[in-house]
Amino acid sequence: MRPLLELKGVSKFFGGLAALVDVSFTVNEGEVVGLIGPNGAGKTTLFNVINGFYKPSKGEVYFDGKRISGLRPHRICRLGVARTFQVVKPLQRLTVIDNVMASAFLRSPSRQEALERAEKILHFVGLYEDRETVSKNLPLGKRKKLEIARALATEPKLLLLDESFAGLNPKEQAEMIETIKKINREGVTILIIEHHMRVIMSISNRVVVLNYGEKIAEGSPQEVASSPEVIKAYLGETAVA
Amino acid sequence: MRGLVPIAGIILLALLPLVGLSTYMMHILILVIMWSVIGMAWNLLGGYCGQVSFGHAAFFGTGAYTAGILYLKLGVSAWWGFPLSIVVVGVMALIIGFICLRLRGPFFALATLAMGEVLRVTAENLRGFTNGTLGILIQKRTWVEKTWYYYIILAIAVFTFLLIRRLVNSRLGYYFLAIREDQDAAESLGINTTLYKTVALLISAILTGFAGVFYMNYMGYIDPEIVYALHDISIITIMVVMVGGVATFWGPAVGALIMVLLAELIRSLPRIGTAHQSLFGILLILIIIFLPNGIVGDFPKLKTILRRRA
Ligand SMILES: Nc1ncnc2c1ncn2[C@@H]1O[C@H](COP(=O)(O)OP(=O)(O)OP(=O)(O)O)[C@@H](O)[C@H]1O
Ligand SMILES: [Mg+2]
């Protein structure tokens, strides 16, 4: 098992607020790692640090053995890290296919190649029928798929998924689980933020738990689910007592 | 078929002077084409890349002054302004870009507006270099006739049109649109947003500078109030594009035609003529309310409205 992503003592402060405190963990090549924690725990902030939107206040991030903290997001993406956004950010007035092409150009400079890659990816995530739809007219479920399609078009080694399941109905959730498993089978390593425990249990090899910016647990889904620390964080003191 | 429309249009425009138009008509045509160039240039940065500049007079004026100062100080033909302006306006664009492009949305717009004004005041005060408010007068213009001026600005317009169409349909065009739609998303998807915004600004500025060089040669007189004008250049540029259609290929040309004709019409009206700025303001408000995508962008809507009337 080769480590692909390594966080070493990462902290992030917003003024007096400590959004991340000394967080360290590793994601190995080929894994699906779940990142969970209550609202405001610092999960999205961690993604913003990994993908370069924020510089860590302390600590370092390594990807593929190379230090990436401090690089700009487009450089980090070029190295092989792609992400989706919790609050989806489609290129509103562009069609679905144009959205995906805009990212596909990163690895295929010619228009024809970019188009072919984009079409392939739309088939893969099940958005091909909607390729000519202007993305602001898509329902939420499809926008979440578009986020993933766009990220995949950059041919990432590591995919960061921020709550891809939020707002999906059970049928869409089942499809999404299949899609993510398929992406992982293609060799893409995945770090996924998720609130639905059922989803996390069914797709992750390992789970990292954040609470108030600190890592409070790490292990297999079963280990984490039975950890008193985690139960306390999720349910509050009273539930444990 | 659609590909033939521009070619047919160009041939038609190239043949137009042979019809024997009056000097006045030629002048109007030249102005329309010059404004199309400025509008197309602005559209690349503002329409496609989403960086709305309120200071394009900075580039127009710098192009004009590059040509003017060559003539005034070195005694060479102001036409040499064309090659030299690429460097001068280019450097100016890089400086302005360095300052303004780190800002977003309305902050970028305000910063560019300030830049245009700073250059106007600078040109007014560097008297030894620019002649200040006295302006620069070319004693003897190259041609008395308008025909050659017409062909020169037409060539610049055709070049601009083809260049922008090519850019917009390429990888660069996708990057511009991605930046316009969501800069953070674009950056996280591997697009170097700073670089590509700078590229859009640079091309837009140089093309606008060409219009400025042309203006110096054609009109034979410039001063800071004219070529660095906030209202008569920077704001009118935005109006040309908004009236015609933001982020459309033909919008700037349509907008230029309407704005130039309208300006002539309003100015010729006996009493309200002096209020042309207010009338332009009212027009802009009407356009924003009823045709937010401009005449070209909202053409289907416009057609259904007209059909219903008929
Ligand atoms: N740019 C910012 N400036 C100031 N504070 C911020 C900023 N971004 C996040 N925070 C704060 O950092 C903390 C962690 O936020 P974050 O969005 O990372 O949580 P999260 O775990 O993703 O929560 P959720 O499950 O609600 O998405 C919160 O208290 C939040 O208010
Ligand atoms: Mg979050």
Side-chain angles (χ1 to χ4, degrees):
Chain A
M1 281 208 296
R2 202 167 69 94
L4 188 62
L5 177 76
E6 293 166 275
L7 286 97
K8 297 184 177 171
V10 169
S11 299
K12 177 71 198 173
F13 307 111
F14 295 111
L17 180 95
L20 293 172
V21 185
D22 199 21
V23 176
S24 301
F25 67 89
T26 299
V27 178
N28 295 309
E29 212 165 22
E31 272 188 315
V32 177
V33 174
L35 183 61
I36 64 170
N39 290 113
K43 306 180 294 294
T44 299
T45 304
L46 189 69
F47 272 18
N48 285 333
V49 167
I50 298 171
N51 116 298
F53 277 135
Y54 301 152
K55 229 190 217 164
S57 311
K58 261 192 239 150
E60 283 158 348
V61 182
Y62 286 82
F63 177 72
D64 227 355
K66 186 179 186 309
R67 187 176 150 190
I68 57 167
S69 34
L71 296 183
R72 296 210 12 228
H74 72 267
R75 294 279 312 278
I76 294 177
C77 178
R78 185 167 283 274
L79 290 172
V81 181
R83 73 172 289 180
T84 66
F85 292 94
Q86 179 171 0
V87 181
V88 290
K89 289 175 176 287
L91 308 177
Q92 298 264 7
R93 285 176 285 181
L94 305 193
T95 59
V96 166
I97 185 87
D98 283 347
N99 262 270
V100 181
M101 276 179 76
S103 331
F105 275 116
L106 181 67
R107 310 277 182 212
S108 33
S110 97
R111 207 190 147 95
Q112 188 56 35
E113 270 179 80
L115 177 66
E116 280 165 19
R117 178 185 313 252
E119 285 181 340
K120 213 175 93 190
I121 289 166
L122 288 180
H123 273 299
F124 183 84
V125 300
L127 271 183
Y128 189 74
E129 304 302 316
D130 299 287
R131 65 192 179 282
E132 295 301 340
T133 308
V134 175
S135 63
K136 70 173 168 201
N137 299 329
L138 285 177
L140 181 67
K142 288 182 174 172
R143 286 194 213 190
K144 295 258 172 184
K145 284 185 184 171
L146 178 58
E147 284 281 311
I148 294 182
R150 233 169 35 157
L152 285 179
T154 66
E155 298 203 354
K157 292 180 195 147
L158 173 68
L159 182 59
L160 309 172
L161 297 173
D162 196 347
E163 303 205 13
S164 301
F165 289 83
L168 301 191
N169 63 39
K171 181 171 161 283
E172 288 170 329
Q173 285 190 17
E175 285 172 11
M176 187 64 91
I177 289 180
E178 279 321 301
T179 305
I180 291 172
K181 284 183 173 164
K182 229 164 46 171
I183 294 168
N184 183 238
R185 275 200 301 272
E186 301 264 313
V188 180
T189 308
I190 293 172
L191 180 60
I192 176 171
I193 296 175
E194 198 39 68
H195 277 300
H196 295 81
M197 285 314 267
R198 197 177 56 81
V199 171
I200 284 292
M201 293 300 162
S202 69
I203 59 179
S204 7
N205 308 114
R206 275 191 312 126
V207 178
V208 171
V209 190
L210 286 185
N211 190 27
Y212 292 114
E214 289 182 70
K215 186 178 89 172
I216 56 166
E218 179 177 356
S220 73
Q222 290 72 25
E223 281 164 11
V224 162
S226 54
S227 145
E229 275 268 25
V230 175
I231 293 167
K232 197 167 80 185
Y234 267 90
L235 304 176
E237 306 279 344
T238 48
V240 185
Chain B
M1 250 322 278
R2 284 189 66 91
L4 292 180
V5 174
I7 299 172
I10 291 164
I11 294 176
L12 213 67
L13 283 169
L15 294 177
L16 213 49
L18 305 180
V19 184
L21 296 169
S22 70
T23 313
Y24 175 70
M25 278 299 287
M26 285 298 282
H27 176 64
I28 296 298
L29 273 176
I30 288 169
L31 286 186
V32 168
I33 298 171
M34 186 188 85
W35 276 105
S36 306
V37 171
I38 304 171
M40 286 189 281
W42 186 92
N43 200 26
L44 183 71
L45 179 68
Y48 291 101
C49 197
Q51 310 301 306
V52 174
S53 153
F54 272 70
H56 257 46
F59 310 122
F60 182 81
T62 302
Y65 266 97
T66 304
I69 288 169
L70 273 179
Y71 167 83
L72 185 70
K73 294 289 163 193
L74 302 179
V76 295
S77 160
W79 291 110
W80 285 104
F82 277 115
L84 191 67
S85 73
I86 296 176
V87 180
V88 177
V89 176
V91 169
M92 180 74 68
L94 289 179
I95 295 169
I96 290 181
F98 181 77
I99 298 167
C100 301
L101 282 177
R102 60 190 66 212
L103 304 169
R104 293 193 187 184
F107 300 101
F108 173 79
L110 285 174
T112 53
L113 187 149
M115 287 294 153
E117 288 297 278
V118 165
L119 286 179
R120 181 175 59 79
V121 174
T122 310
E124 278 168 5
N125 288 303
L126 282 180
R127 284 194 202 94
F129 195 50
T130 62
N131 264 2
T133 48
L134 272 180
I136 296 174
L137 177 72
I138 294 180
Q139 298 292 344
K140 193 171 164 295
R141 287 167 65 225
T142 322
W143 301 286
V144 182
E145 275 237 42
K146 306 248 179 226
T147 318
W148 281 109
Y149 293 106
Y150 175 85
Y151 281 121
I152 287 169
I153 194 65
L154 183 62
I156 296 172
V158 169
F159 168 76
T160 303
F161 182 88
L162 295 178
L163 176 74
I164 288 179
R165 204 174 55 164
R166 196 183 172 129
L167 286 176
V168 166
N169 285 322
S170 73
R171 179 172 63 107
L172 226 57
Y174 277 84
Y175 286 180
F176 291 162
L177 292 178
I179 291 169
R180 177 187 80 189
E181 293 298 307
D182 195 314
Q183 200 177 312
D184 287 334
E187 179 75 32
S188 78
L189 291 162
I191 298 169
N192 186 346
T193 53
T194 313
L195 173 70
Y196 290 105
K197 283 196 294 184
T198 307
V199 169
L201 175 67
L202 196 62
I203 298 170
S204 178
I206 289 173
L207 293 171
T208 307
F210 280 170
V213 174
F214 174 80
Y215 185 89
M216 173 79 260
N217 281 283
Y218 175 61
M219 299 300 281
Y221 175 77
I222 58 168
D223 71 32
E225 289 270 4
I226 297 175
V227 295
Y228 282 121
L230 172 59
H231 177 270
D232 287 338
I233 304 290
S234 292
I235 307 278
I236 296 292
T237 302
I238 301 174
M239 282 193 66
V240 160
V241 183
M242 291 210 55
V243 168
V246 174
T248 61
F249 286 126
W250 293 103
V254 172
L257 180 71
I258 290 171
M259 290 299 293
V260 170
L261 292 184
L262 212 62
E264 289 302 307
L265 185 73
I266 293 173
R267 253 176 235 143
S268 67
L269 295 178
R271 222 158 306 160
I272 22 182
T274 43
H276 73 276
Q277 296 201 347
S278 325
L279 289 173
F280 276 6
I282 293 168
L283 172 74
L284 186 59
I285 293 169
L286 290 177
I287 288 277
I288 291 172
I289 295 174
F290 295 107
L291 297 173
N293 301 308
I295 290 171
V296 173
D298 279 327
F299 195 63
K301 190 164 141 193
L302 207 59
K303 262 202 311 210
T304 48
I305 292 172
L306 292 177
R307 203 173 296 146
R308 220 179 298 144
R309 285 280 150 75

